[in-house]
Amino acid sequence: MMRGHGDTETRSGIQVRFTRSLLLRFILLCVIATFFSMQSASARELTLQDLISEALQKSPEIHAAQARAAASQFKIPQAKSLPDPMLMFGYQNEGYEKFNYGKSEDAQFMYSVSQMFPFPGKRGLKGEMAAREAESLAASSGSTKLKTIARIKELYYDLFFTYKSIDLLKDRTELFSQIENAALARYSSGMAPQQEVLMAQTEKYMLLEREEMLKQKIQALEAMLNTTVGRKVDAPLGRPVEPNYDPYPRSLDELIAVAYERSPDVKAKEKMVAAAEARIKMAKREYYPDITLAGSVFERKNFDDMWSVTTTVNVPIFYRSKQRQAVHEAEASLSEAQSELDATKLMLSSAIRDNYSMLKTTERLMDLYREGLIPKTYQDFESALAGYGTGKIEAITVINRLKAIIDFETSYWGQLAEREKAKARIEALTGIAEGIDETARQ
């Protein structure tokens, strides 16, 4: 019996240890799963459309522009409404010596109400001016939205290029390690001086230095991107997706024509021209007088009450120094608005030409890098590396070939990023929102 009891305790202890082992394994697996889930979340892809959609909801600049446009709509009914009626309450006494209400025929309380009616057409013109100004602010709000989207795209492609540059440096560091290994082999056999080994190691460490600088740049770009979107500065961001490359289909003349038709900046200036034209009509309408109607009641205690109805008309006899000058002022404002519209169109066409030229230049350079320089330089590097192993080529030659590959590959991806940034600026200038959902277009 004692032996059986001991066996039971032994089995129980084994079961406890087994259960604890399973529990520890389960906890370890949970920790590992959590770690990898966090790693995958931090390495998730960052899509441009998600950033734009979030910016349309959170960007303070977009919200401020939309609030200005919304506030201007409330000015329209104010401009079209009648002036406030005037109420008057007073008392008229006869003489200065005593209060003689009810004892004198002329002592009385007085009440009146008056309403000024602008000359026909003035209220409509004031409403038109306010409506054109509201439409101008609405167009400016659309311009702010497009410029914010363009800014997000520029930062997004800068971030993509920085990540890509780090990838290139990591890949080419392995090639520098091959040069280093070849230099060590030659040095150990007495075929090369130690200087070649140090040279290869120095170049490799310089790449590591550039990688650390690029990592710091990523942090700066992420902070600026978060600020533009409307996030907290330290909000986590993933890695940008590589953009698809397709030759740009639109011509320069087409872009300029579309910009004159759809650009929010042009529309805002056109609305200001329309508002200035309405202001001229309003200034000319000020030559005509307004009419004020008033009704009064005079209350007397021991006498019959009295009432009166009056009409007041302002006489614009100082029209030469007032109304005429107001017309001249409005005409000058119209000339200013028209000049600003012309200047906006000229600046738009100039900016579009500049960015279009940059876009086409980057496409040609990308073709040159992709089809000529990069493959030829890589072949040259492989040949030089093989020659260095046999002692026919010096180490500096191999290192220069590899540095040329790094420069050309970095330039290729840099040109791709600059192309996409120029395309984003063109979209903001023309009002074209290619690749953006319908919410962002409005």
Side-chain angles (χ1 to χ4, degrees):
M1 295 295 293
M2 292 293 293
R3 205 176 297 144
H5 180 69
D7 293 340
T8 302
E9 289 182 346
T10 301
R11 288 195 300 270
S12 177
I14 293 173
Q15 290 177 354
V16 169
R17 288 195 297 271
F18 181 74
T19 303
R20 288 178 179 175
S21 177
L22 288 178
L23 181 61
L24 289 175
R25 290 181 182 180
F26 177 77
I27 294 174
L28 180 61
L29 288 175
C30 290
V31 171
I32 294 174
T34 304
F35 174 78
F36 280 107
S37 65
M38 293 176 63
Q39 289 294 106
S40 63
S42 62
R44 70 185 186 279
E45 290 185 342
L46 177 66
T47 61
L48 182 59
Q49 183 57 57
D50 290 341
L51 286 176
I52 292 174
S53 300
E54 187 174 353
L56 294 177
Q57 299 295 327
K58 296 182 178 180
S59 171
E61 293 185 11
I62 292 178
H63 286 176
Q66 290 175 339
R68 282 193 297 269
S72 64
Q73 293 290 332
F74 297 106
K75 294 182 179 180
I76 300 175
Q78 297 179 57
K80 296 170 65 175
S81 65
L82 288 170
D84 292 335
M86 303 294 291
L87 297 177
M88 187 275 290
F89 170 78
Y91 170 76
Q92 175 178 289
N93 192 62
E94 184 177 357
Y96 293 96
E97 297 180 356
K98 60 181 179 179
F99 179 77
N100 51 22
Y101 178 71
K103 301 177 182 178
S104 172
E105 183 178 351
D106 295 326
Q108 54 195 338
F109 285 97
M110 299 177 295
Y111 312 93
S112 70
V113 59
S114 61
Q115 175 66 61
M116 193 272 282
F117 295 93
F119 192 86
K122 287 186 178 180
R123 290 168 57 197
L125 289 172
K126 288 182 179 180
E128 182 180 353
M129 288 190 299
R132 299 293 86 78
E133 291 175 357
E135 291 170 354
S136 176
L137 287 174
S140 298
S141 174
S143 177
T144 301
K145 185 182 298 184
L146 289 175
K147 290 176 182 177
T148 301
I149 292 174
R151 177 61 176 162
I152 291 173
K153 287 185 175 182
E154 291 185 63
L155 292 171
Y156 180 86
Y157 292 121
D158 280 338
L159 186 61
F160 160 77
F161 174 56
T162 307
Y163 270 108
K164 195 67 179 179
S165 298
I166 292 177
D167 292 342
L168 293 175
L169 292 180
K170 288 182 177 179
D171 292 340
R172 299 319 172 200
T173 301
E174 296 296 328
L175 296 180
F176 271 110
S177 297
Q178 294 182 22
I179 299 176
E180 180 185 1
N181 293 334
L184 286 171
R186 284 169 55 85
Y187 172 70
S188 62
S189 62
M191 298 176 58
Q194 186 182 13
Q195 182 182 1
E196 293 187 357
V197 178
L198 296 176
M199 187 186 304
Q201 291 176 343
T202 301
E203 293 293 338
K204 184 175 69 173
Y205 293 143
M206 289 176 64
L207 291 185
L208 296 176
E209 178 193 22
R210 288 175 59 184
E211 181 180 342
E212 291 301 320
M213 295 175 64
L214 289 173
K215 289 179 180 178
Q216 189 277 331
K217 184 179 179 181
I218 285 177
Q219 295 180 359
L221 288 172
E222 287 180 340
M224 289 188 288
L225 189 55
N226 280 327
T227 302
T228 306
V229 172
R231 291 178 167 189
K232 293 182 179 180
V233 177
D234 57 350
L237 287 172
R239 175 173 177 145
V241 180
E242 180 178 327
N244 296 323
Y245 172 73
D246 294 312
Y248 196 65
R250 297 179 182 270
S251 65
L252 177 61
D253 293 337
E254 179 185 1
L255 289 173
I256 294 176
V258 171
Y260 288 171
E261 179 183 356
R262 297 179 55 178
S263 169
D265 292 330
V266 172
K267 290 182 178 180
K269 297 302 181 182
E270 288 175 344
K271 298 303 180 182
M272 293 306 297
V273 170
E277 292 173 345
R279 194 172 291 111
I280 291 177
K281 296 178 182 178
M282 181 63 198
K284 291 180 178 179
R285 194 60 63 111
E286 290 293 345
Y287 279 108
Y288 302 99
D290 301 323
I291 300 174
T292 302
L293 298 180
S296 304
V297 174
F298 306 92
E299 181 182 347
R300 301 187 297 180
K301 189 173 183 179
N302 297 323
F303 305 93
D304 292 338
D305 295 339
M306 297 189 303
W307 60 272
S308 68
V309 176
T310 60
T311 301
T312 305
V313 179
N314 63 303
V315 182
I317 60 175
F318 304 109
Y319 67 92
R320 292 186 178 181
S321 60
K322 191 175 180 181
Q323 282 81 4
R324 182 179 294 177
Q325 301 305 317
V327 172
H328 294 332
E329 178 187 1
E331 291 173 344
S333 297
L334 174 60
S335 178
E336 176 188 5
Q338 290 173 336
S339 298
E340 288 182 351
L341 174 60
D342 295 337
T344 299
K345 289 183 176 180
L346 290 175
M347 287 189 293
L348 269 179
S349 60
S350 176
I352 291 172
R353 288 176 186 274
D354 183 26
N355 285 282
Y356 186 81
S357 175
M358 180 181 297
L359 187 149
K360 289 300 180 181
T361 300
T362 56
E363 289 184 348
R364 291 192 294 269
L365 287 174
M366 288 173 62
D367 292 339
L368 178 62
Y369 289 132
R370 183 178 59 251
E371 299 175 3
L373 290 174
I374 293 177
K376 297 298 182 183
T377 307
Y378 195 82
Q379 292 175 2
D380 193 12
F381 164 73
E382 290 181 332
S383 175
L385 183 60
Y388 177 67
T390 59
K392 296 180 180 180
I393 294 179
E394 297 181 352
I396 186 65
T397 303
V398 183
I399 292 174
N400 287 336
R401 297 293 187 275
L402 182 52
K403 291 171 68 176
I405 292 176
I406 296 174
D407 291 340
F408 289 146
E409 288 181 330
T410 303
S411 297
Y412 171 81
W413 292 106
Q415 293 299 326
L416 176 61
E418 292 299 323
R419 175 188 182 274
E420 296 300 323
K421 289 162 62 177
K423 182 179 175 182
R425 289 190 291 268
I426 289 175
E427 291 175 355
L429 292 168
T430 58
I432 299 173
E434 295 180 350
I436 302 175
D437 62 15
E438 202 63 31
T439 304
R441 295 174 186 267
Q442 298 174 356

